[in-house]
Amino acid sequence: MKPGLQFRLNQQLTLTPQLQQAIRLLQLSQLELEAELRQIAESNPLLEFSEDNPEEAEGEEERSIVELPASTPSSSSNDMGDDTDATEWTADDGGAPEDPIDFSGVSGSSRTGANGANGDEEGFEPQSAAPETLQEHLLWQLNLTHMSARDHTIAEVLIDSLNPDGYLTESMESLIAALPPDVKASAAEMEHVRRLLQRFDPTGVASLDLRDCLRVQLEQFGAATPQRELALRIVDSELELLARNDIARLARKLRASEDDAAAAAVLIRSLDPRPGAALDVTPVEYVAPDVYARKDSGRWRVSLNPDCQPRLGLNQHYCGLIAQARGTDASWMRGQLQEARWLIKSLESRAETLLKVAEAIVRRQSAFLDYGPEAMHPLVLREVAEEVGMHESTISRVTTRKYIHTPRGTFELKHFFSSGVSTEDGGSASATAIQAMLRKLVDAEDPRKPLSDQAIAEELHRKGIQVARRTVAKYREAMRIPSSSERQRAG
């Protein structure tokens, strides 16, 4: 065979670095986007955040505060619906700010600043103390308790083994194995120290189960407390009947009057089944909405949150130095300038895409905003993708960890997507709407005769929604609603 040349034509889709960057920025949440941009700005001197300029940042902050209730320049003017029954947002009538309190006449303040603070403390901002954990609270009490060094060490091991609710879930053997090598303790000694810890504040910590926790709390009441002994008997043997609120049967089994059994039940319900939860230091997570939806003159309008849009721009000082640079410095700075322009363009594209998708979602789910969860329509990614002319994967990236603030609350954009169930008239109802109807039926049921899954399915059939019993059970379990037997409350 002789070597030869051949020509072939083919098409190949290649993701350029700029497109890859745009896709990456699109799927990031607000916090992740800010961290990503900070990292990029540190490596590219031609990029800067506008808040790096104090005067400019202050002016933008004032404008954002004043213009927030109104429509921003990126607001959509498309009509989102003609319904006028929904609650409309109105801006608070902001009057002139109150004059600062003058502390100049307070005795003992010889040096005060412009704001009334001492000169050496000007600009001081009070800081909240770090929250105290359950373990720290118990160790503080332990250090004030007269115990032997041996018992003190055992108590520290027990305290470290408590779960967030204050219970001991590990076996006694594992607790003994966790002791230091120089401390050899028996199960009886561990139990003795555990009993002492149960009397610490909050009462009931270091308990093994719910019965143990409730019993310790009841024992803290005086012997003269009404129905204390009857409550102890209920905790020891009849917690299941108490959970079902079957007071009549509870009274018969304990050979007490129904009034006494009811009083004992009230005493037990006043106890804390999770004593450690009061000292839970889990940080509260706050969500800053990326988009606002409000009704203006009967039309739903969508606008981007100006405070969540990154204020990224070009550093004019370094841009001016490009013309003066020579050789490799000039080429490197031109490359950095090109990357900075690509990044700013990607951010603009991200904002436009987010706004376009949010508009489509609000347009489709305007009934939900007007009337509530029961009016939610079935919606899938493909429908929004076809409306905005994008791929489903792009819609998925846009709606993940992006939030919209509405008069009904703040929701993730994915909240508005749900599958549909067919109805008798040939239409469909969303899973969110069916769950809202299910919750409404359970809230209105007779607690002595709760609705079974089959009964709920039949009620939904009367409303024209064809749903099977197993589907009702799936929705009920997803909403963490107990079964009918567990919801039953006997009178």
Side-chain angles (χ1 to χ4, degrees), residues 292-306:
Y292 285 105
R294 62 189 182 93
K295 202 167 191 180
D296 185 13
S297 301
R299 300 174 181 176
W300 285 104
R301 301 184 184 274
V302 179
S303 62
L304 296 175
N305 183 359

Side-chain angles (χ1 to χ4, degrees), residues 6 22 29 134 154 158 168 203 211 234 287 351 358 366 410 451 467 478:
Q6 293 182 351
S29 65
L134 175 63
I154 296 175
L158 294 176
L168 273 175
T203 306
R211 281 189 171 86
I234 294 175
V287 172
S366 59
T410 301
L451 297 173
V467 59

Side-chain angles (χ1 to χ4, degrees), residues 242-255:
L242 177 65
R244 294 164 53 186
N245 200 28
D246 195 344
I247 303 299
R249 187 176 178 185
L250 197 62
R252 289 196 301 270
K253 294 197 69 173
L254 298 176
R255 298 181 181 180

Side-chain angles (χ1 to χ4, degrees), residues 147 154 158 168 172 187-200 203-209 211-213 215-216 219-220:
M147 280 188 182
I154 296 175
L158 294 176
L168 273 175
M172 195 61 67
E189 290 177 299
M190 300 287 290
E191 179 66 17
H192 171 71
V193 177
R194 188 185 72 83
R195 292 289 184 182
L196 294 177
L197 288 178
Q198 285 185 296
R199 270 69 181 178
F200 280 23
T203 306
V205 295
S207 296
L208 301 177
D209 52 30
R211 281 189 171 86
D212 188 22
C213 180
R215 167 168 274 281
V216 171
E219 290 174 350
Q220 297 299 305

Side-chain angles (χ1 to χ4, degrees), residues 123-191:
F124 173 78
E125 295 183 1
Q127 302 290 330
S128 300
E132 186 181 33
T133 64
L134 175 63
Q135 279 73 17
E136 292 173 346
H137 185 61
L138 294 176
L139 288 175
W140 171 75
Q141 299 175 70
L142 179 62
N143 293 330
L144 299 178
T145 304
H146 295 289
M147 280 188 182
S148 64
R150 179 186 182 84
D151 290 346
H152 195 283
T153 303
I154 296 175
E156 287 181 345
V157 172
L158 294 176
I159 290 174
D160 290 339
S161 302
L162 298 178
N163 67 7
D165 292 334
Y167 285 89
L168 273 175
T169 56
E170 299 185 17
S171 64
M172 195 61 67
E173 291 76 12
S174 62
L175 293 174
I176 294 176
L179 292 172
D182 58 336
V183 178
K184 303 295 183 181
S186 62
E189 290 177 299
M190 300 287 290
E191 179 66 17

